[in-house]
């Protein structure tokens, strides 16, 4: 099998890449590195590979397909978007994708800061308030479009699916206020190959985060 991805044995940054590959019907090796137990969280399995993969910027997630060797989640997603016809098709779609990409990165940073912070319980109420405000904007932006770029599915839909999924597991019922986001989330999860992947034992449903996280990692 020529195509290989590598990441920790969690959902983390790589899950949208896994979902896109499932939707595109790509067979690949999904290398998952284990983190050792507390208190040391031994990462040597990854460090044994890290500098021997031919990556310009050794990191995980990574994606290897013959001479194409990439790290950086969005470099991988954009490459796969072009390769599997899930990139922007015109300027209007590109603008929407650039905008929602930047918002998704901001949202993910806030989400993971909360998940890993020692003061998780203290910070959570503010996070809940802020994420609802942001999701209102995201919901208005999606409007009645089926996908975030507009009429065509793109890699950003897998990023947004994962973000909505993470947040609605952290805050049950979160999407009830936003019927179009709920419908979008259900629609991506129901895509034939994605649904088959999600219900298979190949898919990591949990954990979202590493074992040192306060939420979603244990
Ligand atoms: N900007 C990078 C961040 C990647 C990153 O932070 N990877 C973390 C896991 S979430 C890691 O453990 N990298 C391994 C390392 O730095 O050796 C991306 O989007 O892919």
């Amino acid at each position: 099998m020529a195509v290989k991805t590598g990441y920790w044995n969690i959902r983390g940054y790589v899950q949208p890449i896994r979902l896109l590959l499932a939707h595109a019907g790509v067979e690949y090796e999904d290398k998952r590195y284990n983190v050792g137990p507390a208190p040391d969280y031994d990462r040597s399995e990854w460090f044994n590979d890290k500098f021997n993969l031919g990556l310009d910027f050794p990191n995980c997630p990574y994606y290897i397909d013959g001479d194409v060797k990439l790290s950086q989640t969005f470099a991988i997603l954009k490459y796969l978007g072009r390769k599997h016809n899930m990139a922007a098709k015109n300027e209007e779609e590109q603008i929407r994708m650039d905008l929602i990409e930047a918002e998704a990165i901001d949202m993910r940073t806030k989400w993971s800061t909360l998940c890993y912070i020692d003061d998780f319980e203290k910070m959570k109420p503010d996070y809940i308030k802020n994420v609802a405000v942001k999701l209102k904007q995201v919901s208005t932006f999606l409007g009645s479009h089926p996908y975030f770029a507009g009429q065509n599915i793109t890699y950003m839909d897998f990023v947004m699916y994962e973000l909505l999924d993470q947040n609605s597991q952290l805050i049950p019922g979160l999407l009830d206020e936003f019927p179009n986001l709920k419908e979008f989330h259900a629609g991506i999860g129901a895509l034939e190959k994605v649904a088959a992947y999600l219900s298979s034992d190949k898919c990591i449903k949990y954990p979202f985060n590493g074992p040192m996280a306060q939420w979603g990692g244990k």
Side-chain angles (χ1 to χ4, degrees):
M1 204 183 292
V3 179
K4 176 175 178 179
T5 60
Y7 194 64
W8 302 109
N9 192 14
I10 62 173
R11 283 167 68 154
Y13 276 106
V14 82
Q15 198 77 351
I17 295 171
R18 292 181 179 137
L19 297 173
L20 185 154
L21 289 169
H23 181 60
V26 177
E27 291 284 317
Y28 66 103
E29 180 194 347
D30 185 5
K31 170 69 190 162
R32 297 163 181 183
Y33 297 95
N34 287 305
V35 180
D40 295 332
Y41 302 115
D42 175 15
R43 294 171 174 85
S44 55
E45 194 192 3
W46 158 241
F47 282 108
N48 289 338
D49 260 10
K50 179 169 178 175
F51 299 103
N52 301 316
L53 293 160
L55 296 165
D56 291 315
F57 299 99
N59 210 335
C60 60
Y62 63 78
Y63 171 92
I64 297 176
D65 181 0
D67 289 340
V68 176
K69 296 184 175 198
L70 300 172
S71 56
Q72 288 293 352
T73 308
F74 275 92
I76 298 168
L77 284 166
K78 288 172 188 186
Y79 169 79
L80 291 173
R82 292 189 297 275
K83 187 176 168 98
H84 297 290
N85 197 26
M86 286 183 258
K89 296 192 175 22
N90 53 48
E91 182 63 14
E92 195 185 330
E93 288 192 357
Q94 189 66 64
I95 288 170
R96 289 183 60 83
M97 289 178 71
D98 288 348
L99 200 46
I100 200 66
E101 171 187 325
E103 290 296 336
I105 291 171
D106 286 355
M107 286 181 74
R108 194 182 192 288
T109 303
K110 288 180 179 143
W111 143 269
S112 86
T113 302
L114 174 74
C115 289
Y116 283 87
I117 207 158
D118 286 343
D119 273 353
F120 173 81
E121 289 301 339
K122 202 170 143 218
M123 306 305 282
K124 192 177 166 192
D126 254 6
Y127 178 86
I128 294 174
K129 259 188 251 155
N130 294 335
V131 83
V133 172
K134 182 55 71 180
L135 284 184
K136 174 93 185 73
Q137 296 171 359
V138 172
S139 167
T140 303
F141 179 78
L142 181 64
S144 57
H145 299 107
Y147 300 111
F148 276 91
Q151 297 306 312
N152 300 304
I153 192 164
T154 68
Y155 59 83
M156 275 315 302
D157 295 309
F158 299 101
V159 173
M160 292 310 291
Y161 170 87
E162 181 64 7
L163 207 48
L164 295 175
D165 203 71
Q166 290 165 346
N167 276 288
S168 50
Q169 291 200 38
L170 174 68
I171 309 162
L174 178 69
L175 297 186
D176 292 350
E177 260 184 78
F178 309 107
N180 66 338
L181 297 182
K182 201 169 176 171
E183 194 182 328
F184 164 83
H185 176 264
I188 297 295
L191 292 167
E192 193 183 341
K193 290 183 188 140
V194 174
Y197 177 70
L198 289 172
S199 62
S200 76
D201 57 10
K202 283 191 207 161
C203 178
I204 301 182
K205 311 261 181 342
Y206 197 87
F208 289 97
N209 296 314
M212 54 300 280
Q214 302 300 319
W215 190 88
K218 308 267 191 287

